[in-house]
């Protein structure tokens, strides 16, 4: 294995496309690219032989060797990127997020470095496929769902758009739990994703910082008569940086995702050790390290856990100290220009404690005056809201802050007092307004409203889709919008076309590039040229072939994971996302039951055979979501076991839905279900991944669905359901039983559900579901939208039965997806929020 093949010349890379600027980091020439192939080959051989020194080279060892070799190829560009950004004085953006749902790295890194082909060749020598090695990689599941995956897509786009952006997050020892299904129920298992090490990370101990907790505050006056605050007798935890490289697509830039790990400040607390209290000392170490042990698996209800607040402060403080250290290194102690060269983006309120923390660092540590410090803070903080659900809005009890972060609480009070002066000026004498807008919520358990804190300090507040931003400014944040209209803006979400088309769907990528070239990979708007091909017979045939092969791959995944046979000839109807009542997986299941009843009653005329796939995790404490999973599994069990249904209908619940699974799911989907109650889904991003891959959407007027519909047109979208104002209006007088009585289909479904047909062995378990549907205070209004959904699904069936029509619609969807590239979204952040180039 000493002789490794040399590829002669490598195709020269295209310059980064279109409206993007030339990358600052010089594009590689063909020659240096060939060199990087040679050096990848050499590095791989060396890693395998010496560094990993396995006796027999198994697939895990080979994956590790390959990943380490790929990382090695990134190191020079990584260093150069940093150097050039410094030299050029490029504005820096810190993207603060408690979640980065990265998934796997290998395939995506190779794609962005344009080394995939070279890598395949190299592996031929070792008689192993790239796919086999890719399968060895654990998903980095450091996120719950949409918000965390958005952060990951954004990092890819920032690097590709040549922006100087650092992601700051937490290196959770345990990521999102693994989901097993046992007797139809969700069972959570810990995800020890770091067990075999993480080849992508680099530990950077020289950037350790200390984060303080607990203790108390004290003031003193210095010799010049200036009052200072001391935060003393604190318990300190060390934050250790682990850096992960983020390569841009084909431009040589490598940005950084910096993840913090908590460690005890000293290996042993010497005082305690000397007193002979060895075990106490070691226990203290454990306590410190607990902070970054586990990701909170909640994506909607704020449950006020103390450890979660510790994580938030830990991330915020470590990241800000890191930023200030770098600033001082370059500019000394003059911070006046800090906002010109720095922006800090808060990914929801989770890192909003960064607001008082930056004040503390500037005032207490760097000794700025309050006003000067506030000027800096309020000119570099920007806040993105990702949810309207009231139960998801973070409020931290004052009591908890007083104990854990006493100095931070003082600062929050001061910020609030000064800001309420402004409110009082604007609405003189309006005490109710003051109470309503105060950062501190009064009551039995006074609490800090983190969203208000974020808004007060930020120069930009944005929602993530047009409807969402509109609902924020007219609803939740109405008063703030009145006070500071200029702060508010919309940035509709997007997803990276590298992972979500070029990487995950190589067949469609090849087909598209055969006609359009590959410029679309960095300029997704170019896909609109596909419209002209939507009636081209050859192109349509190839389009169908690609979909068919992708459906086979998806069917295989379903077979392996669910032991359910999906036939690629049938319509693949998919809903994958976190399980939540507002996302209405239950409505989907009701429709499946209805189809089943049609089959049982012999009413199959015009029916389209279909395979329905549902997947997603429920928060471990969310009983109703877990019950919905159980229902999906029980209904699947009955349908799949019934030979009468077999030609017409299959249902599968995919366990452990994650980023990697989506990479197989979205290319193989015909119909994407985006059926949330209007006004509840902030944006959605899965909807965009499906659209890009040529799935048609069955959707409500919610989140970014509205903008997708706008782009693709009503003829290519299956719209149903109440819109947001109608939902609000109906809420006042909602009588679900009337909808049930009026719909033969829904009455039938409810009867079968109540009859216990799906829970013969487990009487009454689904009673809470029935009660929720029949309740006049059902916030999700399933019954109201059922008929509309059923009729839309009839249209779906009709359209699918005309393959040419369906194919044309599918092409139009991909063609119209350009606006939902996260490159577009990030260009918006760059131009309208960060003002960086
Ligand atoms: C406090 C617990 C908690 C944790 C996470 C509350 C809320 C969250 C997130 C904000 C939930 C989330 O992921 N929201 C999703 O964000 C996506 C990216 O903007 C949107 O596309 C989804 O519509 C939104 O649900």
């Amino acid at each position: 294995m000493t002789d490794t093949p040399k590829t002669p010349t490598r195709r020269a890379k295209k310059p980064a496309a279109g409206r993007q600027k030339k990358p600052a980091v010089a594009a590689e020439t063909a020659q240096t690219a060939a060199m990087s192939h040679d050096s990848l080959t050499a590095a791989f051989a060396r890693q395998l032989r010496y560094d990993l020194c396995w006796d027999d080279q198994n697939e895990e060892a080979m994956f590790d060797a390959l990943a380490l070799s790929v990382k090695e190829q990134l190191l020079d560009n990584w260093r150069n990127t940093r150097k050039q950004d410094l030299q050029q004085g490029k504005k820096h953006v810190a993207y603060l997020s408690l979640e980065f749902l990265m998934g796997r790295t290998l395939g995506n890194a190779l794609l962005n470095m344009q080394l995939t082909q070279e890598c395949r060749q190299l592996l031929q020598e070792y008689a192993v496929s790239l796919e086999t090695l890719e399968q060895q990689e654990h998903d980095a599941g450091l996120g719950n769902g949409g918000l965390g995956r958005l952060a990951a897509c954004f990092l890819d786009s920032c690097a590709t758009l040549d922006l100087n952006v650092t992601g700051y997050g937490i290196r959770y020892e345990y990521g999102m739990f693994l989901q097993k299904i046992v007797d139809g129920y969700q069972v959570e298992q810990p995800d020890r994703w770091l067990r075999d090490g993480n080849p992508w990370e680099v530990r950077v101990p020289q950037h350790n910082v200390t984060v303080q907790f607990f203790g108390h505050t004290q003031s003193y006056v210095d010799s010049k008569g200036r009052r200072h605050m001391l935060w003393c007798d604190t318990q300190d935890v060390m934050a250790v940086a682990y850096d992960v490289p983020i390569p841009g697509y084909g431009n040589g830039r490598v940005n950084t995702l910096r993840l913090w790990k908590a460690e005890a400040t000293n290996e042993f607390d010497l005082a305690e050790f000397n007193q002979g209290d060895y075990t106490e000392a070691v226990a203290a170490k454990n306590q410190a390290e607990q902070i970054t042990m586990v990701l909170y698996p909640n994506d909607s209800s704020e449950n006020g856990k103390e450890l979660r607040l510790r994580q938030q402060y830990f991330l915020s403080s470590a990241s800000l100290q890191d930023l200030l250290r770098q600033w001082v290194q370059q500019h000394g102690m003059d911070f006046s220009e800090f906002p010109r060269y720095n922006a800090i983006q808060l990914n929801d309120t989770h890192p909003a404690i960064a607001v008082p923390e930056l004040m503390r660092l500037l005032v207490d540590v760097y000794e700025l005056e309050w006003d000067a410090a506030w000027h800096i803070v309020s000119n570099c903080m920007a806040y993105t809201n990702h949810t309207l659900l009231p139960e998801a809005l973070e409020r931290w009890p004052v009591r908890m802050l007083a104990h854990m972060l006493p100095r931070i609480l003082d600062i929050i009070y001061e910020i609030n007092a000064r800001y309420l002066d402004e409110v009082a000026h604007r609405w003189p004498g309006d005490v109710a307004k003051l109470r309503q807008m105060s950062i501190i919520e009064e009551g039995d358990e006074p609490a800090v409203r983190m969203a208000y804190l974020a808004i007060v300090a930020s120069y930009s507040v944005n929602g993530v889709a047009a409807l969402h931003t509109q609902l924020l400014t007219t609803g939740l944040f109405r008063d703030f919008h009145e006070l500071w209209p200029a702060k508010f803006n919309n940035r509709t979400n997007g997803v990276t076309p590298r992972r979500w088309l070029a990487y995950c769907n190589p067949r469609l990528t090849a087909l598209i590039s055969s006609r359009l070239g590959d410029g679309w990979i960095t300029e997704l708007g170019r896909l609109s040229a596909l419209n002209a091909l939507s009636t081209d017979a050859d192109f349509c045939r190839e389009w169908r072939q690609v979909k068919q092969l992708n459906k086979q791959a998806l069917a295989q995944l379903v077979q392996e994971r669910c032991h359910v046979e999906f036939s690629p000839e049938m319509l693949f109807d998919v809903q994958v996302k976190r399980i939540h009542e507002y996302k209405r997986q239950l409505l989907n299941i009701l429709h499946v039951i209805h189809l089943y009843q049609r089959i049982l009653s012999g009413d199959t005329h015009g029916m389209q055979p279909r395979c329905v796939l549902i997947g997603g995790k429920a928060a471990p404490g969310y009983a109703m979501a877990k019950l919905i999973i159980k229902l999906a599994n029980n209904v699947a069990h009955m349908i799949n076991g019934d030979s009468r249904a077999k030609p017409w209908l299959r249902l599968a619940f995919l366990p452990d839905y994650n980023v990697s699974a989506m990479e197989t799911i979205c290319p193989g989907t015909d119909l994407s279900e985006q059926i949330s109650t209007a006004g509840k889904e902030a944006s959605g991003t899965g909807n965009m991944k499906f659209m890009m891959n040529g799935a048609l959407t069955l959707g409500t007027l919610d989140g970014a669905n509205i903008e997708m519909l706008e782009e693709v047109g009503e003829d290519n979208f299956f719209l149903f359901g109440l819109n947001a104002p109608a939902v609000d209006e109906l809420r006042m007088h909602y009588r679900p039983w009337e909808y049930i009585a009026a719909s033969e289909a829904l009455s039938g479904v409810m009867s079968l559900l109540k009859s216990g047909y799906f829970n013969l062995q487990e009487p009454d378990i689904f009673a809470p579901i029935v009660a929720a549907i029949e309740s006049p205070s059902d916030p999700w209004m399933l019954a109201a939208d059922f008929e509309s959904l059923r009729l839309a699904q009839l249209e779906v069936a009709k359209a699918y039965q005309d393959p040419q029509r369906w194919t044309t619609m599918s092409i139009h969807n991909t063609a119209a997806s350009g606006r939902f590239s996260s490159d577009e979204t990030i260009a918006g952040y760059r131009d309208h929020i960060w003002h960086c180039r």
Side-chain angles (χ1 to χ4, degrees):
M1 258 180 314
T2 41
D3 284 331
T4 39
K6 309 250 183 303
T7 31
T9 33
R10 221 179 136 271
R11 83 197 127 80
K13 264 173 229 148
K14 295 208 157 159
R19 49 202 272 304
Q20 291 163 25
K21 306 176 313 152
K22 271 219 175 97
V25 180
E28 292 173 84
T29 61
Q31 200 191 359
T32 56
M35 278 166 55
S36 74
H37 166 254
D38 289 352
S39 82
L40 180 67
T41 306
F44 183 62
R46 173 169 42 74
Q47 290 287 354
L48 263 184
R49 194 149 7 110
Y50 301 115
D51 295 4
L52 294 166
C53 65
W54 291 91
D55 292 336
D56 56 314
Q57 284 159 9
N58 58 14
E59 284 157 5
E60 286 139 66
M62 287 179 106
F63 162 73
D64 263 339
L66 184 58
L68 290 169
S69 316
V70 169
K71 183 175 67 182
E72 217 178 281
Q73 306 310 301
L74 286 167
L75 292 179
D76 285 336
N77 281 344
W78 204 355
R79 205 172 297 120
N80 288 340
T81 301
R82 220 170 321 158
K83 214 165 82 188
Q84 292 196 16
D85 286 347
L86 277 179
Q87 276 167 4
Q88 294 171 5
K90 219 168 147 102
K91 185 166 182 177
H92 177 247
V93 179
Y95 196 86
L96 263 53
S97 179
L98 270 280
E99 304 187 12
F100 287 91
L101 189 40
M102 303 297 285
R104 289 176 176 152
T105 293
L106 178 60
N108 195 247
L110 287 170
L111 174 81
N112 281 12
M113 297 159 78
Q114 301 183 322
L115 280 174
T116 310
Q117 283 320 312
E118 286 75 2
C119 188
R120 280 188 201 287
Q121 260 178 24
L122 140 69
L123 292 177
Q124 269 174 16
E125 284 293 299
Y126 297 83
V128 66
S129 74
L130 178 56
E131 284 70 23
T132 304
L133 297 194
E134 284 178 34
Q135 298 297 324
Q136 300 301 316
E137 183 170 359
H138 296 284
D139 268 46
L142 309 184
N144 273 283
L147 163 137
R149 182 55 230 177
L150 186 76
C153 283
F154 278 8
L155 292 183
D156 184 74
S157 285
C158 288
T160 299
L161 291 181
D162 202 36
L163 303 181
N164 180 16
V165 176
T166 304
Y168 279 101
I170 290 182
R171 183 179 174 278
Y172 299 106
E173 214 74 40
Y174 294 85
M176 187 61 197
F177 65 82
L178 304 177
Q179 180 194 53
K180 294 267 148 56
I181 300 296
V182 178
D183 295 333
Y185 290 101
Q186 166 175 301
V187 173
E188 301 94 27
Q189 290 187 345
D191 165 38
R192 271 191 68 193
W193 71 292
L194 289 168
R195 184 170 25 208
D196 306 323
N198 174 8
W200 302 110
E201 67 186 14
V202 179
R203 185 178 158 106
V204 200
Q206 62 270 33
H207 291 158
N208 288 357
V209 295
T210 301
V211 179
Q212 298 168 281
F213 292 95
F214 306 107
H216 57 90
T217 58
Q218 227 173 30
S219 74
Y220 75 95
V221 178
D222 69 14
S223 54
K224 294 181 197 130
R226 186 174 185 262
R227 177 175 290 281
H228 297 264
M229 290 307 294
L230 279 179
W231 185 7
C232 26
D233 297 330
T234 53
Q235 290 178 29
D236 297 350
V237 177
M238 197 160 69
V240 184
Y242 284 75
D243 286 356
V244 180
I246 308 291
Y249 179 82
N251 65 0
R253 166 172 282 274
V254 183
N255 280 340
T256 301
L257 168 60
R258 176 158 285 180
L259 299 176
W260 298 105
K261 174 180 193 285
E263 293 188 5
T265 35
N266 291 305
E267 205 56 43
F268 291 98
D269 182 319
L270 275 186
E272 275 178 293
F273 188 56
N274 289 338
Q275 286 163 29
D277 220 339
Y278 170 80
T279 44
E280 283 296 306
V282 177
K285 175 178 159 71
N286 276 339
Q287 215 201 2
E289 303 198 343
Q290 253 184 37
I291 294 177
T292 53
M293 199 55 72
V294 60
L295 166 76
Y296 272 89
N298 276 317
D299 73 336
S300 55
S301 68
E302 180 281 300
N303 54 16
K305 285 270 169 28
E306 183 170 319
L307 185 59
R308 168 81 176 180
L309 178 59
R310 280 218 258 170
Q311 293 181 336
Q312 297 185 345
Y313 182 67
F314 177 77
L315 166 68
S316 302
S317 179
S319 308
L320 293 173
Q321 290 186 58
D322 197 50
L323 294 178
L324 294 182
R325 172 186 58 76
Q326 293 178 49
W327 177 265
V328 171
Q329 221 168 43
Q330 294 155 47
H331 302 88
M333 300 289 272
D334 180 358
F335 291 91
S336 53
E337 295 268 62
F338 187 83
R340 209 155 87 107
Y341 293 101
N342 287 280
I344 298 168
Q345 191 72 38
L346 305 173
N347 201 20
D348 216 280
T349 56
H350 314 159
I353 199 90
V355 168
E357 173 63 2
L358 186 52
M359 286 301 289
R360 185 188 73 82
L361 291 167
L362 293 172
V363 172
D364 292 1
V365 179
Y366 291 102
E367 306 199 320
L368 268 66
E369 296 298 330
W370 181 279
D371 289 337
W374 184 250
H375 179 80
I376 291 164
V377 171
S378 56
N379 280 286
C380 63
M381 292 285 176
Y383 156 54
T384 306
N385 173 283
H386 295 266
T387 180
L388 290 156
L389 301 182
E391 65 269 29
L393 294 177
E394 294 192 296
R395 294 172 169 81
W396 289 111
V398 164
R399 195 179 29 85
M400 195 186 286
L401 281 161
H403 178 59
M404 188 195 305
L405 304 167
R407 177 59 185 139
I408 293 297
L409 181 61
D410 285 351
I411 291 171
I412 293 172
Y413 278 139
E414 182 72 29
I415 292 172
N416 196 38
R418 290 170 184 246
Y419 141 73
L420 286 181
D421 272 352
E422 199 177 330
V423 177
H425 260 90
R426 173 67 207 271
W427 289 284
D430 193 341
V431 181
K433 197 64 121 187
L434 287 176
R435 192 170 304 124
Q436 205 173 297
M437 292 182 75
S438 171
I439 294 172
I440 309 293
E441 180 179 66
E442 301 296 341
D444 294 344
E445 174 78 86
V448 178
R449 296 161 164 156
M450 299 307 279
Y452 292 6
L453 178 61
I455 296 172
V456 168
S458 295
Y459 68 89
S460 163
V461 177
N462 76 282
V464 291
L467 174 68
H468 173 231
T469 301
Q470 186 217 317
L471 293 174
L472 283 180
T473 53
T474 57
L476 205 54
F477 299 155
R478 190 202 173 109
D479 292 334
F480 292 91
H481 182 246
E482 239 181 286
L483 184 57
W484 298 308
K487 281 190 186 189
F488 289 82
N489 63 102
N490 177 59
R491 306 263 71 89
T492 298
N493 283 165
V495 303
T496 171
R498 266 75 61 188
R499 182 177 295 264
W500 296 115
L501 186 51
Y503 171 68
C504 75
N505 199 342
R507 295 185 188 98
L508 199 61
T509 294
L511 175 58
I512 293 171
S513 296
S514 73
R515 308 298 158 98
L516 307 186
D518 63 5
W520 58 270
I521 296 177
T522 48
E523 229 190 317
L524 205 66
R526 292 199 195 184
L527 290 182
S528 63
L530 292 173
N531 284 324
L533 295 165
S534 69
T535 50
D536 174 318
D538 286 339
F539 187 74
C540 288
R541 187 174 29 77
E542 291 178 60
W543 190 272
R544 267 193 298 276
Q545 279 167 358
V546 164
K547 182 59 83 179
Q548 213 54 24
L549 291 170
N550 290 337
K551 286 173 76 172
Q552 282 173 19
L554 175 51
Q556 197 185 330
L557 182 82
V558 171
Q559 181 62 250
E560 285 164 12
R561 303 247 184 114
C562 320
H563 314 290
V564 175
E565 192 186 327
F566 270 21
S567 161
E569 307 312 313
M570 296 164 77
L571 168 77
F572 281 15
D573 171 341
V574 178
Q575 187 181 23
V576 286
K577 47 179 81 241
R578 286 299 287 259
I579 309 294
H580 209 296
E581 289 163 282
Y582 83 81
K583 295 179 190 280
R584 299 200 294 194
Q585 283 92 355
L586 184 53
L587 181 58
N588 184 1
I589 298 169
L590 296 184
H591 176 252
V592 172
I593 296 175
H594 160 66
L595 291 179
Y596 181 51
Q597 287 191 303
R598 277 184 61 189
I599 297 165
L600 296 186
S601 67
D603 173 23
T604 52
H605 179 73
M607 182 180 265
Q608 169 58 43
R610 70 170 85 202
C611 300
V612 179
L613 183 66
I614 300 178
K617 295 176 185 178
Y622 189 170
M624 188 54 114
K626 291 178 125 176
L627 194 57
I628 291 169
I629 292 177
K630 171 66 173 164
L631 179 64
N633 280 299
N634 281 23
V635 172
H637 182 75
M638 292 307 282
I639 290 177
N640 301 333
D642 188 335
S643 58
R644 296 167 293 181
K646 192 150 195 227
W648 299 106
L649 186 62
R650 324 267 165 89
L651 172 63
F653 184 89
L654 183 89
D656 204 43
Y657 169 65
N658 63 5
V659 173
S660 292
M662 186 56 156
E663 290 165 5
T664 305
I665 294 168
C666 67
T669 294
D670 294 310
L671 183 71
S672 147
E673 298 219 21
Q674 307 298 336
I675 60 176
S676 52
T677 311
K680 298 298 172 192
E681 188 69 270
S683 157
T685 44
N687 47 2
M688 300 165 183
K689 294 164 198 168
F690 284 112
M691 182 192 198
M692 247 174 226
N693 285 276
L696 275 65
T697 303
L698 169 70
T700 47
L701 285 172
D702 201 15
N705 292 355
I706 296 173
E707 288 148 272
M708 286 165 47
L709 171 62
E710 224 169 81
E711 293 295 305
V712 78
E714 294 219 17
D715 293 347
N716 301 299
F717 191 104
F718 300 100
L719 179 65
F720 79 98
L722 298 169
N723 64 15
V727 165
D728 270 347
E729 198 282 324
L730 181 59
R731 212 178 286 297
M732 327 275 199
H733 52 90
Y734 182 46
R735 288 186 287 272
W737 50 88
E738 291 180 0
Y739 291 92
I740 296 169
S743 160
E744 206 182 311
L746 184 53
S747 321
V749 170
M750 293 304 288
S751 304
L752 192 61
L753 199 52
K754 288 182 192 176
S755 76
Y757 183 85
F758 298 109
N759 49 313
L760 297 171
Q761 259 45 268
E762 303 154 292
D764 296 333
I765 53 167
F766 296 128
I769 286 182
V770 171
I773 298 169
E774 292 182 340
S775 162
S777 53
D778 170 23
W780 323 115
M781 302 193 160
L782 263 72
D785 274 349
F786 180 87
E787 266 302 301
S788 173
L789 171 98
R790 186 182 68 81
L791 295 174
Q793 283 281 28
L794 287 176
E795 292 304 313
V796 169
K798 210 158 74 189
Y800 194 78
Q801 285 163 9
D802 178 349
Q804 181 54 53
R805 179 173 164 214
W806 188 274
T807 305
T808 302
M809 291 169 85
S810 166
I811 295 170
H812 283 319
N813 268 271
T814 302
S817 67
R819 179 168 158 203
F820 307 104
S821 164
S822 46
D823 297 347
E824 281 293 312
T825 314
I826 288 300
Y829 279 85
R830 175 193 65 197
D831 297 342
H832 301 290
I833 301 181
W834 302 335
H835 306 293
C836 63
R837 272 281 157 189

